[in-house]
Amino acid sequence: MSESRICCPCLYRCIFEYETPRSVIIRSRKVGSFNRFIQLAILGYIIGWVLVWQKGYQEFDSIISSVTTKVKGIAVTNDSHLGFRVWDVADYVIPPQEELSFFVMTNLIMTRDQIQAQCPEVPDDSSKCTSDSNCTAGFSDVHSSGIQTGRCVNFNETVRTCEVQAWCPLEINGVNDSEPALLKAADNFTVLIKNNIRYPKFNFNKRNILPNISSTYLKTCIFNRQTDPYCPIFRLGDIVHEAGEDFQKMAVEGGVMGIQIRWDCDLDKSDSKCVPTYTFRRLDNKNPNNNVAPGYNFRFAKYYKTPDGVESRTLIKAYGIRFDVMVFGRAGKFNIIPTLINVGSGLALLGLVSMF
């Protein structure tokens, strides 16, 4: 009974009493100036950095994007291997469409009229031989052009190699591996990039062909950072040049270029202020001290039937430049919740300063 009488007053005081800290006035120019400096610094951080620079009064959304491309251009070549030839977009854009990228062939090695047959392997340390005993029937590895037959045959007047069952005649590397590139005119090809974006949180949609761009303007414009910064048609040579590279040198062995499209939009402003900015850079390694397997190339074949029913093919080793289109962006719009959170955090910091 006595314990309950003691607890009740304590409980009463805990619930209904209120305490405040004591305030001490310090009359000191140094202490007062330092205190005001800290308060101004916190105010500057809240207003300048959080609210103005970081736009802490907005909520943000990430971009959703789609990209399509269309390359145009004609090239003419006349050399000892291929003769006179006109190249259009169906010849040098491989494949016709890719996701967020496109490839333009600038150089090639073409091996015509290959059929399934026996022929001498291309000379290297593993294929050279002096007699049949140096060749193993059925042997192959990842560097072989085919399956060895077990015979040692003449590759030319001075070199003998193991015979292989393969697509013959075999490809001879280095036929067009010299400057200038076969399709050196590719620097004047153009690409139309159509980019549609969406910020789903704000139900905002836009594309890089802006509302003020007419069909007449689109037929004549070429992207120029000073005069036509919003034209969506780009000259391939200009893309490589803006990245600080030489197109003709890059075209010999190929490479990978990045086309970066950035949409940073303040949706508190007019929609016309939301426009893309374009930057370009080379993505593949171009280190002179580590130049193993440079460039970009791949092989593909076109298959035919001869009049007597024998399957043949034309093998093409294509060198070229792959252009990867990368879209970045963020949109912001005023929202009371992040505003209150950031302002409240700032006031808490100010309150913390006043305690010292």
Side-chain angles (χ1 to χ4, degrees):
M1 188 69 179
S2 59
E3 291 181 359
S4 62
R5 289 179 180 178
I6 295 172
C7 292
C8 286
C10 293
L11 182 62
Y12 181 86
R13 285 196 300 270
C14 290
I15 296 175
F16 297 105
E17 288 183 357
Y18 174 71
E19 296 179 359
T20 60
R22 293 182 179 181
S23 297
V24 179
I25 299 176
I26 302 175
R27 291 184 173 88
S28 170
R29 289 184 179 181
K30 290 183 179 180
V31 175
S33 299
F34 181 73
N35 182 60
R36 295 294 179 244
F37 174 77
I38 296 297
Q39 290 176 337
L40 288 174
I42 292 174
L43 283 174
Y45 167 76
I46 297 167
I47 297 173
W49 176 256
V50 175
L51 295 179
V52 176
W53 186 258
Q54 293 292 325
K55 297 183 178 178
Y57 57 89
Q58 292 182 332
E59 65 172 335
F60 297 96
D61 193 15
S62 299
I63 196 169
I64 297 175
S65 170
S66 69
V67 174
T68 59
T69 60
K70 183 185 293 185
V71 180
K72 289 186 177 181
I74 297 293
V76 177
T77 61
N78 190 3
D79 71 349
S80 59
H81 300 290
L82 301 177
F84 181 84
R85 188 176 182 128
V86 177
W87 302 78
D88 64 16
V89 65
D91 296 314
Y92 57 74
V93 176
I94 309 159
Q97 283 292 316
E98 290 187 81
E99 184 179 359
L100 300 178
S101 66
F102 61 96
F103 173 83
V104 175
M105 182 172 65
T106 55
N107 210 3
L108 76 153
I109 299 172
M110 181 182 291
T111 308
R112 290 194 177 101
D113 303 323
Q114 287 187 320
I115 60 171
Q116 290 282 323
Q118 295 85 33
C119 52
E121 177 65 282
V122 176
D124 62 21
D125 293 339
S126 63
S127 65
K128 290 180 181 179
C129 62
T130 56
S131 66
D132 291 349
S133 61
N134 301 129
C135 304
T136 304
F139 173 80
S140 68
D141 61 27
V142 293
H143 302 293
S144 300
S145 300
I147 306 297
Q148 290 187 12
T149 63
R151 298 178 56 210
C152 183
V153 297
N154 292 329
F155 180 81
N156 54 33
E157 294 180 355
T158 59
V159 178
R160 304 189 76 196
T161 61
C162 293
E163 184 183 65
V164 292
Q165 176 74 34
W167 285 98
C168 301
L170 300 180
E171 175 189 276
I172 305 299
N173 282 316
V175 174
N176 284 326
D177 191 18
S178 60
E179 296 187 36
L182 184 66
L183 296 181
K184 59 183 179 180
D187 62 345
N188 286 316
F189 296 169
T190 61
V191 57
L192 167 63
I193 299 178
K194 294 190 283 186
N195 176 212
N196 294 273
I197 65 158
R198 175 174 171 79
Y199 291 107
K201 184 180 290 186
F202 308 123
N203 194 29
F204 180 84
N205 302 277
K206 199 162 188 179
R207 62 178 186 157
N208 66 329
I209 302 178
L210 303 177
N212 62 320
I213 293 179
S214 66
S215 58
T216 303
Y217 173 78
L218 198 61
K219 290 178 181 178
T220 58
C221 76
I222 297 291
F223 174 85
N224 182 286
R225 198 164 296 282
Q226 280 71 44
T227 60
D228 295 279
Y230 303 121
C231 177
I233 298 177
F234 304 84
R235 182 176 166 271
L236 301 189
D238 293 339
I239 294 174
V240 176
H241 177 73
E242 279 220 15
E245 302 291 337
D246 186 316
F247 186 93
Q248 296 303 331
K249 290 182 179 179
M250 192 175 183
V252 175
E253 293 183 319
V256 183
M257 290 294 304
I259 302 173
Q260 299 172 315
I261 307 176
R262 177 166 289 279
W263 295 82
D264 287 327
C265 300
D266 186 347
L267 300 184
D268 292 325
K269 299 178 180 179
S270 170
D271 290 356
S272 62
K273 301 292 185 181
C274 181
V275 293
T277 56
Y278 302 96
T279 55
F280 315 99
R281 62 184 298 253
R282 185 167 183 172
L283 300 179
D284 62 319
N285 181 39
K286 203 195 74 167
N287 185 352
N289 299 320
N290 183 16
N291 203 31
V292 178
Y296 182 73
N297 66 79
F298 58 89
R299 292 175 175 84
F300 67 97
K302 299 179 180 180
Y303 294 86
Y304 309 93
K305 284 279 189 179
T306 62
D308 55 357
V310 177
E311 184 181 34
S312 68
R313 75 178 189 181
T314 296
L315 178 67
I316 297 174
K317 183 179 182 180
Y319 298 85
I321 304 175
R322 193 184 78 193
F323 295 85
D324 292 341
V325 184
M326 296 166 284
V327 184
F328 308 91
R330 189 177 73 159
K333 195 172 185 179
F334 175 78
N335 188 287
I336 192 62
I337 294 176
T339 304
L340 292 176
I341 291 173
N342 287 305
V343 171
S345 300
L347 293 175
L349 282 175
L350 283 175
L352 186 64
V353 171
S354 65
M355 293 176 62
F356 296 96

